[in-house]
Amino acid sequence: MEIYLVGGAVRDQLLGRPVVDRDWVVVGATPEQMLAKGYRAVGKDFPVFLHGDSKEEYALARTERKTGRGYHGFAFHAEPTVTVEQDLERRDLTINAIAQHDDGRLVDPYGGVADIEARLLRHVSSAFVEDPVRVLRVARFAARYAPLGFRVADETMALMQRMVEEGEVDHLVPERVWAETRKALAEPMPDVFVRVLRDCGALRVLFPEVDALYGVPQRAEFHPEVDTGIHIEMVLRAAATIAPGDALVGYCALTHDLGKALTPADVLPRHIMHEQRGIEPVQAMSARLKVPSDYAFMAEMVCRHHLNAHQAFELKPTTVLRLLEALGALRRPERLETFLLACLADKRGRLHHEHDAYPQADYLRACREAAAAITSKPFTDQGLQGPAIGEAMKKAQAAAIASVSKPL
């Protein structure tokens, strides 16, 4: 029996990055031998075991064979005769197909170390095309490692384009698309995720609402980048800078301007009522991807109300109160924070505006605090009952908001 450290742990170790998860491959063992040594079986499709002490995953070396379309269509073969090289061959990228002996020696049959040095995301073998999830994974790894200079190898991009053209990506289920997207939105450069998907053609299949934004012009005085698709990429980059690792803010950034793809051609490059037009595609995209309810809610709120945030100083106190109530922010201040971070990303996601101030955020925070400080007790003490209490509180909350100072 031989045990190797594999995958991301080896890759990140070679990149000098923190190793978060450690996965192991066991060569020359049977499930019965693993159980006899105290490992606990957890794998359903193929033999995977948890170490009794570390709880880390130990998988028997295996090969796989394509049996159908989509990512479910595989048959796995795990026998003591399967070598570590054969196990590594089934992996997606060469940088993930490196194993390490317990003495530190590397097993690198597919050039992963050289690709790390060359900063290339390259597929291991032609079997890459058999699993459509790999298109999303490559885009996600590109979003993670772009700050280090990584790019998708030309031959790998060509394979991804072929997978899209042959309809393999059409068989991805929403749960897998969302799982990879959520991770990508938390990466340092989520805009690269979108760019890679667009370059291979998968964006129009998986995210047609986003793909439709490319080529849609905006007014240059407000958006020097002009192209709405480029604006979305810039907002995603700004969101990752402002709120690192926050996929919820990232999803709001991704979806906030979907309505601009529906602007009538005769009014372009203006986008009057794009917030209202965007609600339906945001709802459709969230429903199709089966995103969590908090993501769906906040994405709709940012789409619907981001211009109100930008124009906060011009809003009436009653309008500010309605905004806070729509967000549910009086009881859940974290919703206001998510909203404001996404709006700040929208503000800064424009050419030459990457460092703009956004005093509207502090003003709206102060408005929330003023409104939230109003309680029902003074009104019940006055003898008010039922709806009269709520009406009195709203008036008091609006008055409290009116008293909040605005920047000069």
Side-chain angles (χ1 to χ4, degrees), residues 12 54 59 66-67 70 77 127 138 140 184 211 222 225 250 264 273 298-299 303 365 380 383 385:
D12 287 341
S54 70
K66 185 72 168 173
T67 59
H77 174 72
V138 170
R140 175 165 64 84
D211 189 68
F222 300 121
E225 71 283 358
M273 295 184 64
M298 287 307 307
C303 175
R365 290 186 186 105
T380 57
Q385 296 180 352

PDB file of all heavy atoms in Angstrom, residues 12 54 59 66-67 70 77 127 138 140 184 211 222 225 250 264 273 298-299 303 365 380 383 385:
ATOM      1  N   ASP A  12      -1.143  24.035  -4.299  1.00  0.00           N
ATOM      2  CA  ASP A  12      -1.003  25.265  -3.519  1.00  0.00           C
ATOM      3  C   ASP A  12       0.310  25.298  -2.747  1.00  0.00           C
ATOM      4  O   ASP A  12       0.882  26.368  -2.531  1.00  0.00           O
ATOM      5  CB  ASP A  12      -2.195  25.409  -2.561  1.00  0.00           C
ATOM      6  CG  ASP A  12      -3.477  25.789  -3.299  1.00  0.00           C
ATOM      7  OD1 ASP A  12      -3.373  26.276  -4.442  1.00  0.00           O
ATOM      8  OD2 ASP A  12      -4.570  25.596  -2.746  1.00  0.00           O
ATOM      9  N   SER A  54      -7.520  12.342  11.586  1.00  0.00           N
ATOM     10  CA  SER A  54      -7.497  13.633  10.890  1.00  0.00           C
ATOM     11  C   SER A  54      -8.807  13.947  10.176  1.00  0.00           C
ATOM     12  O   SER A  54      -9.078  15.105   9.856  1.00  0.00           O
ATOM     13  CB  SER A  54      -6.358  13.646   9.854  1.00  0.00           C
ATOM     14  OG  SER A  54      -6.657  12.770   8.777  1.00  0.00           O
ATOM     15  N   ALA A  59      -8.851   8.309  -0.911  1.00  0.00           N
ATOM     16  CA  ALA A  59      -9.579   7.621  -1.980  1.00  0.00           C
ATOM     17  C   ALA A  59      -8.692   6.550  -2.591  1.00  0.00           C
ATOM     18  O   ALA A  59      -7.490   6.766  -2.797  1.00  0.00           O
ATOM     19  CB  ALA A  59     -10.008   8.617  -3.052  1.00  0.00           C
ATOM     20  N   LYS A  66     -16.238   7.024 -19.615  1.00  0.00           N
ATOM     21  CA  LYS A  66     -17.459   7.739 -19.985  1.00  0.00           C
ATOM     22  C   LYS A  66     -18.513   6.746 -20.459  1.00  0.00           C
ATOM     23  O   LYS A  66     -18.244   5.905 -21.316  1.00  0.00           O
ATOM     24  CB  LYS A  66     -17.150   8.750 -21.091  1.00  0.00           C
ATOM     25  CG  LYS A  66     -18.310   9.650 -21.487  1.00  0.00           C
ATOM     26  CD  LYS A  66     -18.609  10.679 -20.436  1.00  0.00           C
ATOM     27  CE  LYS A  66     -19.567  11.740 -20.964  1.00  0.00           C
ATOM     28  NZ  LYS A  66     -20.005  12.676 -19.922  1.00  0.00           N
ATOM     29  N   THR A  67     -19.732   6.850 -19.890  1.00  0.00           N
ATOM     30  CA  THR A  67     -20.815   5.941 -20.280  1.00  0.00           C
ATOM     31  C   THR A  67     -22.060   6.666 -20.776  1.00  0.00           C
ATOM     32  O   THR A  67     -22.985   6.032 -21.266  1.00  0.00           O
ATOM     33  CB  THR A  67     -21.223   5.058 -19.081  1.00  0.00           C
ATOM     34  OG1 THR A  67     -21.652   5.900 -17.994  1.00  0.00           O
ATOM     35  CG2 THR A  67     -20.064   4.182 -18.639  1.00  0.00           C
ATOM     36  N   GLY A  70     -23.304  14.293 -19.952  1.00  0.00           N
ATOM     37  CA  GLY A  70     -23.347  14.982 -18.668  1.00  0.00           C
ATOM     38  C   GLY A  70     -22.276  14.487 -17.723  1.00  0.00           C
ATOM     39  O   GLY A  70     -21.450  13.638 -18.055  1.00  0.00           O
ATOM     40  N   HIS A  77     -13.542   2.536 -11.862  1.00  0.00           N
ATOM     41  CA  HIS A  77     -12.845   1.265 -11.639  1.00  0.00           C
ATOM     42  C   HIS A  77     -11.742   1.496 -10.603  1.00  0.00           C
ATOM     43  O   HIS A  77     -10.790   2.242 -10.853  1.00  0.00           O
ATOM     44  CB  HIS A  77     -12.241   0.763 -12.961  1.00  0.00           C
ATOM     45  CG  HIS A  77     -11.388  -0.454 -12.815  1.00  0.00           C
ATOM     46  ND1 HIS A  77     -11.904  -1.707 -12.547  1.00  0.00           N
ATOM     47  CD2 HIS A  77     -10.035  -0.605 -12.879  1.00  0.00           C
ATOM     48  CE1 HIS A  77     -10.914  -2.572 -12.460  1.00  0.00           C
ATOM     49  NE2 HIS A  77      -9.768  -1.937 -12.664  1.00  0.00           N
ATOM     50  N   ALA A 127      -9.657  13.297 -22.374  1.00  0.00           N
ATOM     51  CA  ALA A 127     -10.814  12.900 -21.558  1.00  0.00           C
ATOM     52  C   ALA A 127     -11.450  14.101 -20.854  1.00  0.00           C
ATOM     53  O   ALA A 127     -12.557  13.991 -20.324  1.00  0.00           O
ATOM     54  CB  ALA A 127     -10.391  11.855 -20.530  1.00  0.00           C
ATOM     55  N   VAL A 138     -12.550  25.264 -14.791  1.00  0.00           N
ATOM     56  CA  VAL A 138     -11.432  25.997 -15.402  1.00  0.00           C
ATOM     57  C   VAL A 138     -11.656  27.497 -15.254  1.00  0.00           C
ATOM     58  O   VAL A 138     -10.742  28.254 -14.895  1.00  0.00           O
ATOM     59  CB  VAL A 138     -11.250  25.604 -16.868  1.00  0.00           C
ATOM     60  CG1 VAL A 138     -10.254  26.540 -17.554  1.00  0.00           C
ATOM     61  CG2 VAL A 138     -10.753  24.163 -16.981  1.00  0.00           C
ATOM     62  N   ARG A 140     -13.396  28.959 -12.996  1.00  0.00           N
ATOM     63  CA  ARG A 140     -13.243  29.313 -11.570  1.00  0.00           C
ATOM     64  C   ARG A 140     -11.769  29.354 -11.171  1.00  0.00           C
ATOM     65  O   ARG A 140     -11.342  30.266 -10.449  1.00  0.00           O
ATOM     66  CB  ARG A 140     -13.997  28.303 -10.702  1.00  0.00           C
ATOM     67  CG  ARG A 140     -13.795  28.519  -9.207  1.00  0.00           C
ATOM     68  CD  ARG A 140     -14.812  27.769  -8.399  1.00  0.00           C
ATOM     69  NE  ARG A 140     -14.731  26.333  -8.538  1.00  0.00           N
ATOM     70  CZ  ARG A 140     -13.897  25.546  -7.850  1.00  0.00           C
ATOM     71  NH1 ARG A 140     -13.009  26.080  -7.010  1.00  0.00           N
ATOM     72  NH2 ARG A 140     -13.924  24.237  -7.998  1.00  0.00           N
ATOM     73  N   ALA A 184     -16.857  30.767  -7.555  1.00  0.00           N
ATOM     74  CA  ALA A 184     -16.156  31.713  -8.426  1.00  0.00           C
ATOM     75  C   ALA A 184     -16.392  33.154  -8.003  1.00  0.00           C
ATOM     76  O   ALA A 184     -15.486  33.995  -8.084  1.00  0.00           O
ATOM     77  CB  ALA A 184     -16.595  31.517  -9.878  1.00  0.00           C
ATOM     78  N   ASP A 211     -24.801  37.336 -20.813  1.00  0.00           N
ATOM     79  CA  ASP A 211     -24.191  37.391 -22.141  1.00  0.00           C
ATOM     80  C   ASP A 211     -24.843  38.465 -23.010  1.00  0.00           C
ATOM     81  O   ASP A 211     -24.167  39.111 -23.827  1.00  0.00           O
ATOM     82  CB  ASP A 211     -24.312  36.025 -22.808  1.00  0.00           C
ATOM     83  CG  ASP A 211     -23.525  35.937 -24.102  1.00  0.00           C
ATOM     84  OD1 ASP A 211     -22.282  35.975 -24.043  1.00  0.00           O
ATOM     85  OD2 ASP A 211     -24.151  35.860 -25.176  1.00  0.00           O
ATOM     86  N   PHE A 222     -21.352  58.849 -18.240  1.00  0.00           N
ATOM     87  CA  PHE A 222     -21.530  58.115 -16.992  1.00  0.00           C
ATOM     88  C   PHE A 222     -20.732  56.816 -16.976  1.00  0.00           C
ATOM     89  O   PHE A 222     -20.331  56.339 -15.920  1.00  0.00           O
ATOM     90  CB  PHE A 222     -23.013  57.805 -16.757  1.00  0.00           C
ATOM     91  CG  PHE A 222     -23.874  59.026 -16.669  1.00  0.00           C
ATOM     92  CD1 PHE A 222     -24.927  59.212 -17.544  1.00  0.00           C
ATOM     93  CD2 PHE A 222     -23.632  60.009 -15.720  1.00  0.00           C
ATOM     94  CE1 PHE A 222     -25.728  60.342 -17.480  1.00  0.00           C
ATOM     95  CE2 PHE A 222     -24.425  61.140 -15.642  1.00  0.00           C
ATOM     96  CZ  PHE A 222     -25.477  61.305 -16.518  1.00  0.00           C
ATOM     97  N   GLU A 225     -16.509  53.246 -20.066  1.00  0.00           N
ATOM     98  CA  GLU A 225     -16.235  51.941 -20.667  1.00  0.00           C
ATOM     99  C   GLU A 225     -17.265  51.597 -21.740  1.00  0.00           C
ATOM    100  O   GLU A 225     -17.052  50.681 -22.541  1.00  0.00           O
ATOM    101  CB  GLU A 225     -16.196  50.849 -19.593  1.00  0.00           C
ATOM    102  CG  GLU A 225     -17.535  50.489 -18.959  1.00  0.00           C
ATOM    103  CD  GLU A 225     -18.041  51.479 -17.925  1.00  0.00           C
ATOM    104  OE1 GLU A 225     -17.322  52.469 -17.642  1.00  0.00           O
ATOM    105  OE2 GLU A 225     -19.160  51.266 -17.413  1.00  0.00           O
ATOM    106  N   GLY A 250     -21.064  39.585  -4.746  1.00  0.00           N
ATOM    107  CA  GLY A 250     -20.685  39.267  -6.124  1.00  0.00           C
ATOM    108  C   GLY A 250     -21.882  38.933  -6.994  1.00  0.00           C
ATOM    109  O   GLY A 250     -21.953  39.362  -8.151  1.00  0.00           O
ATOM    110  N   PRO A 264     -35.115  49.357 -25.196  1.00  0.00           N
ATOM    111  CA  PRO A 264     -35.442  49.489 -26.624  1.00  0.00           C
ATOM    112  C   PRO A 264     -34.311  50.161 -27.391  1.00  0.00           C
ATOM    113  O   PRO A 264     -33.692  51.109 -26.909  1.00  0.00           O
ATOM    114  CB  PRO A 264     -36.701  50.361 -26.611  1.00  0.00           C
ATOM    115  CG  PRO A 264     -37.315  50.121 -25.265  1.00  0.00           C
ATOM    116  CD  PRO A 264     -36.160  49.939 -24.325  1.00  0.00           C
ATOM    117  N   MET A 273     -35.560  53.341 -16.882  1.00  0.00           N
ATOM    118  CA  MET A 273     -36.326  52.239 -16.275  1.00  0.00           C
ATOM    119  C   MET A 273     -35.631  50.886 -16.395  1.00  0.00           C
ATOM    120  O   MET A 273     -36.275  49.841 -16.310  1.00  0.00           O
ATOM    121  CB  MET A 273     -37.729  52.157 -16.883  1.00  0.00           C
ATOM    122  CG  MET A 273     -38.603  53.363 -16.596  1.00  0.00           C
ATOM    123  SD  MET A 273     -40.277  53.165 -17.238  1.00  0.00           S
ATOM    124  CE  MET A 273     -40.865  51.772 -16.257  1.00  0.00           C
ATOM    125  N   MET A 298     -31.639  39.558  -2.404  1.00  0.00           N
ATOM    126  CA  MET A 298     -30.732  40.702  -2.453  1.00  0.00           C
ATOM    127  C   MET A 298     -30.421  41.103  -3.893  1.00  0.00           C
ATOM    128  O   MET A 298     -30.282  42.291  -4.190  1.00  0.00           O
ATOM    129  CB  MET A 298     -29.446  40.403  -1.696  1.00  0.00           C
ATOM    130  CG  MET A 298     -29.591  40.396  -0.177  1.00  0.00           C
ATOM    131  SD  MET A 298     -30.347  41.891   0.521  1.00  0.00           S
ATOM    132  CE  MET A 298     -29.329  43.184  -0.181  1.00  0.00           C
ATOM    133  N   ALA A 299     -30.321  40.139  -4.795  1.00  0.00           N
ATOM    134  CA  ALA A 299     -30.080  40.478  -6.201  1.00  0.00           C
ATOM    135  C   ALA A 299     -31.231  41.307  -6.752  1.00  0.00           C
ATOM    136  O   ALA A 299     -31.011  42.303  -7.460  1.00  0.00           O
ATOM    137  CB  ALA A 299     -29.901  39.202  -7.029  1.00  0.00           C
ATOM    138  N   CYS A 303     -30.944  45.241  -7.965  1.00  0.00           N
ATOM    139  CA  CYS A 303     -31.408  45.581  -9.309  1.00  0.00           C
ATOM    140  C   CYS A 303     -32.473  46.676  -9.255  1.00  0.00           C
ATOM    141  O   CYS A 303     -32.419  47.655  -9.992  1.00  0.00           O
ATOM    142  CB  CYS A 303     -31.976  44.335  -9.982  1.00  0.00           C
ATOM    143  SG  CYS A 303     -32.724  44.632 -11.595  1.00  0.00           S
ATOM    144  N   ARG A 365     -26.629  54.570   6.067  1.00  0.00           N
ATOM    145  CA  ARG A 365     -26.418  53.887   7.348  1.00  0.00           C
ATOM    146  C   ARG A 365     -26.954  54.736   8.496  1.00  0.00           C
ATOM    147  O   ARG A 365     -27.604  54.225   9.424  1.00  0.00           O
ATOM    148  CB  ARG A 365     -24.932  53.602   7.547  1.00  0.00           C
ATOM    149  CG  ARG A 365     -24.345  52.540   6.632  1.00  0.00           C
ATOM    150  CD  ARG A 365     -22.904  52.225   7.010  1.00  0.00           C
ATOM    151  NE  ARG A 365     -22.298  51.310   6.045  1.00  0.00           N
ATOM    152  CZ  ARG A 365     -21.407  51.666   5.123  1.00  0.00           C
ATOM    153  NH1 ARG A 365     -21.011  52.942   5.038  1.00  0.00           N
ATOM    154  NH2 ARG A 365     -20.916  50.780   4.288  1.00  0.00           N
ATOM    155  N   THR A 380     -47.595  53.768  22.469  1.00  0.00           N
ATOM    156  CA  THR A 380     -48.512  52.983  23.316  1.00  0.00           C
ATOM    157  C   THR A 380     -48.765  53.705  24.625  1.00  0.00           C
ATOM    158  O   THR A 380     -49.863  53.626  25.182  1.00  0.00           O
ATOM    159  CB  THR A 380     -47.922  51.585  23.582  1.00  0.00           C
ATOM    160  OG1 THR A 380     -46.626  51.707  24.189  1.00  0.00           O
ATOM    161  CG2 THR A 380     -47.790  50.793  22.293  1.00  0.00           C
ATOM    162  N   GLY A 383     -51.549  55.897  24.464  1.00  0.00           N
ATOM    163  CA  GLY A 383     -52.847  55.253  24.340  1.00  0.00           C
ATOM    164  C   GLY A 383     -53.214  54.846  22.937  1.00  0.00           C
ATOM    165  O   GLY A 383     -54.333  54.378  22.691  1.00  0.00           O
ATOM    166  N   GLN A 385     -53.463  52.562  19.607  1.00  0.00           N
ATOM    167  CA  GLN A 385     -53.658  51.122  19.457  1.00  0.00           C
ATOM    168  C   GLN A 385     -53.673  50.737  17.979  1.00  0.00           C
ATOM    169  O   GLN A 385     -53.980  51.560  17.116  1.00  0.00           O
ATOM    170  CB  GLN A 385     -54.971  50.681  20.109  1.00  0.00           C
ATOM    171  CG  GLN A 385     -55.013  50.877  21.614  1.00  0.00           C
ATOM    172  CD  GLN A 385     -56.337  50.425  22.210  1.00  0.00           C
ATOM    173  OE1 GLN A 385     -57.272  50.095  21.493  1.00  0.00           O
ATOM    174  NE2 GLN A 385     -56.416  50.408  23.533  1.00  0.00           N
TER     175      GLN A 385
END
